[in-house]
């Protein structure tokens, strides 16, 4: 693949990556139910920035040295994300009302964890798409920019139910938060089962995932 199409593909893939169910569910437990599209977009951008930081550092190192991530480490990172999703979902369900996010630290850290868990897959994708270190670096940067933009758009879109139903603001806010919480818990449990049981994280010899070399 030539350079410019590869970079465009990296950006589009980054936008698509931001819409993965586990990403939307996690951020939805924080940003869901708010009225301000700008504030929600900033939360999404903070998540994307954290995700991008870990992808650039870990994924970039894997690409630079042409190394695969050890299977058990990759599975352990995914399992930690599963636990995080369950915790975020449970917290959203137990809260009596949505707490305004006054700091970008929480979405930033959530993004870092998601980025770490996805670095192994992304590194293999970059290795298969690009042929030089410079092209790989540019691809990663475009992917990260697409991820930030995509999540900012997703979280801004989460404010639409509140803005369209201002007369029932509290009930709509609660419904969005509960939906995000249930989705986060459900996805977390499914992911934990897949990683721990099917892929054998806690077995003597884990089963390499389909993305492993």
């Amino acid at each position: 693949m030539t350079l410019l199409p590869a970079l465009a593909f990296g950006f589009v893939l980054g936008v698509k990556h931001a819409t993965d169910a586990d990403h939307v569910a996690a951020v939805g437990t924080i940003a869901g139910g708010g009225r301000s599209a700008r504030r929600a977009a900033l939360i999404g951008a903070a998540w994307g920035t954290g995700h991008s930081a870990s992808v650039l550092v870990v994924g970039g190192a894997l690409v630079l040295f042409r190394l695969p991530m050890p299977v058990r480490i990759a599975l352990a990172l995914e399992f930690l994300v599963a636990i995080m999703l369950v915790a975020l979902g449970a917290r959203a369900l137990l809260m009596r009302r949505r707490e305004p996010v006054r700091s970008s630290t929480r979405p930033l850290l959530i993004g870092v964890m998601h980025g770490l868990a996805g670095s192994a897959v992304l590194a293999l994708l970059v290795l298969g798409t690009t042929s030089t270190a410079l092209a790989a670096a540019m691809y990663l940067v475009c992917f990260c920019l697409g991820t930030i933009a995509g999540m900012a758009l997703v979280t801004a879109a989460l404010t639409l139910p509140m803005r369209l139903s201002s007369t029932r603001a509290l009930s709509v806010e609660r419904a969005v938060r509960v939906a995000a919480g249930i989705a986060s818990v459900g996805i977390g449990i499914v992911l934990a089962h897949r990683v721990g049981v099917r892929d054998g994280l806690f077995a003597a010899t884990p089963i390499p995932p389909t993305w492993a070399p």
Side-chain angles (χ1 to χ4, degrees), residues 89-160:
R91 182 178 183 276
L93 292 173
L94 293 174
M95 284 192 309
R96 302 192 68 173
R97 62 175 57 187
R98 190 181 69 90
E99 298 177 1
V101 179
R102 305 187 186 280
S103 170
S104 60
T105 302
R106 198 194 319 166
L108 186 75
L109 293 177
I110 294 171
V112 167
M113 282 302 303
H114 273 119
L116 287 174
S119 293
V121 182
L122 180 59
L124 287 177
L125 177 64
V126 174
L127 288 173
T129 306
T130 60
S131 56
T132 66
L134 177 60
M138 295 177 66
Y139 182 98
L140 279 175
V141 170
C142 287
F143 177 90
C144 290
L145 291 175
T147 302
I148 294 172
M151 185 51 78
L153 290 173
V154 167
T155 49
L158 291 176
T159 66
L160 286 177

Side-chain angles (χ1 to χ4, degrees), residues 2-211:
T2 57
L3 184 58
L4 287 179
L7 297 182
F9 178 69
F11 183 86
V12 172
L13 193 64
V15 173
K16 180 181 180 299
H17 184 66
T19 64
D20 285 355
D22 57 328
H23 300 160
V24 176
V27 179
T29 61
I30 302 174
R35 295 189 185 186
S36 172
R38 179 178 178 275
R39 182 180 295 276
L42 290 176
I43 293 172
W47 179 95
T49 300
H51 183 282
S52 299
S54 54
V55 162
L56 288 174
V57 173
V58 178
L62 294 175
V63 170
L64 179 63
F65 296 106
R66 303 276 162 169
L67 295 173
M69 180 179 287
V71 172
R72 196 177 293 278
I73 292 178
L75 291 177
L77 289 171
E78 289 194 63
F79 193 79
L80 288 176
V81 167
I83 294 174
M84 179 185 69
L85 287 170
V86 173
L88 287 172
R91 182 178 183 276
L93 292 173
L94 293 174
M95 284 192 309
R96 302 192 68 173
R97 62 175 57 187
R98 190 181 69 90
E99 298 177 1
V101 179
R102 305 187 186 280
S103 170
S104 60
T105 302
R106 198 194 319 166
L108 186 75
L109 293 177
I110 294 171
V112 167
M113 282 302 303
H114 273 119
L116 287 174
S119 293
V121 182
L122 180 59
L124 287 177
L125 177 64
V126 174
L127 288 173
T129 306
T130 60
S131 56
T132 66
L134 177 60
M138 295 177 66
Y139 182 98
L140 279 175
V141 170
C142 287
F143 177 90
C144 290
L145 291 175
T147 302
I148 294 172
M151 185 51 78
L153 290 173
V154 167
T155 49
L158 291 176
T159 66
L160 286 177
M162 288 287 289
R163 297 165 67 187
L164 294 176
S165 303
S166 56
T167 57
R168 296 182 298 162
L170 290 178
S171 60
V172 172
E173 181 272 328
R174 174 65 179 170
V176 171
R177 181 157 45 85
V178 168
I182 293 174
S184 188
V185 170
I187 293 171
I189 291 174
V190 171
L191 179 59
H193 179 270
R194 176 180 67 78
V195 173
V197 178
R198 193 192 73 183
D199 295 338
L201 170 61
F202 303 109
T205 304
I207 301 172
T210 54
W211 50 259

